[in-house]
């Protein structure tokens, strides 16, 4: 399996292909540390112009937490958490769900995560999305107790 080829597909214009690749890479991340060397690359993806790429990067970034014996997550978390201020509420919801994957492996980062999540301004989102994001926040905070 060519990891570089799979990783390049994450930014493909074909969103169906890119999403399928994301799911495959998440599966690989759950099974082994083969993607851990790309953790900083995933953090970089959170700054992409395309919101779907930002989401994919953050999801894969969080999936590497179980393998992070080098502290890459710790070093890159602050800039990756900028996704919590994304203008796209679906990006924010995916990021909050991804943090649920990270939390069990990075207890030392809970105060940082908690502070960023509690500082979120939900007024920037439509009335239909704000309650859903609020529920996602509550689920994450509950998981970190």
């Amino acid at each position: 399996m060519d990891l570089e080829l799979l990783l390049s597909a994450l930014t493909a214009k074909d969103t169906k292909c890119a999403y399928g690749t994301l799911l495959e890479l998440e599966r690989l991340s759950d099974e082994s540390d083969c993607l851990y060397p790309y953790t900083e690359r995933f953090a970089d993806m959170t700054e992409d112009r395309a919101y779907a790429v930002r989401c994919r990067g953050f999801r894969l970034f969080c999936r590497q937490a179980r393998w992070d014996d080098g502290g890459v997550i710790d070093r890159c978390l602050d800039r990756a958490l900028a996704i919590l201020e994304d203008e796209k509420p679906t990006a924010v919801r995916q990021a909050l769900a991804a943090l649920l994957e990270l939390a069990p492996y990075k207890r030392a980062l809970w105060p940082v995560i908690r502070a960023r999540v509690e500082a979120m301004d939900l007024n920037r989102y439509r009335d239909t999305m704000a309650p859903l994001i609020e529920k996602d926040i509550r689920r994450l905070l509950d998981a970190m107790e």
Side-chain angles (χ1 to χ4, degrees):
M1 170 182 355
D2 184 352
L3 287 180
E4 280 299 329
L5 186 62
L6 282 173
L7 291 169
S8 67
L10 284 172
T11 58
K13 297 270 188 226
D14 179 349
T15 56
K16 186 176 180 182
C17 172
Y19 183 70
T21 300
L22 169 66
L23 296 178
E24 175 64 13
L25 292 172
E26 285 181 329
R27 184 188 65 74
L28 288 172
S29 295
D30 290 344
E31 294 174 358
S32 79
D33 65 350
C34 66
L35 291 170
Y36 177 69
Y38 301 95
T39 304
E40 284 192 55
R41 183 171 173 176
F42 299 143
D44 292 342
M45 288 173 64
T46 65
E47 298 170 339
D48 197 273
R49 286 181 7 151
Y51 102 93
V53 174
R54 292 192 301 270
C55 292
R56 292 177 204 132
F58 191 77
R59 286 173 61 166
L60 287 167
F61 174 78
C62 290
R63 284 285 166 114
Q64 305 317 304
R66 75 178 65 206
W67 313 112
D68 187 26
D69 54 1
V72 177
I73 300 275
D74 304 52
R75 286 193 309 274
C76 298
L77 183 66
D78 193 50
R79 73 181 161 105
L81 283 177
I83 198 168
L84 295 176
E85 299 162 10
D86 205 283
E87 74 269 4
K88 300 280 191 180
T90 53
V92 174
R93 295 198 69 207
Q94 285 189 55
L96 290 165
L99 285 169
L100 283 169
E101 297 285 334
L102 178 144
Y105 304 102
K106 291 293 188 173
R107 294 179 67 95
L109 297 177
W110 285 9
V112 173
I113 295 168
R114 183 181 314 278
R116 288 293 286 270
V117 167
E118 289 175 345
M120 291 174 63
D121 178 14
L122 300 185
N123 293 323
R124 64 191 304 182
Y125 303 110
R126 290 177 301 182
D127 292 342
T128 56
M129 289 305 288
L132 297 173
I133 294 171
E134 191 170 16
K135 186 187 277 186
D136 295 336
I137 289 170
R138 177 56 32 216
R139 186 176 304 124
L140 175 61
L141 292 175
D142 287 348
M144 293 190 301
E145 289 194 5

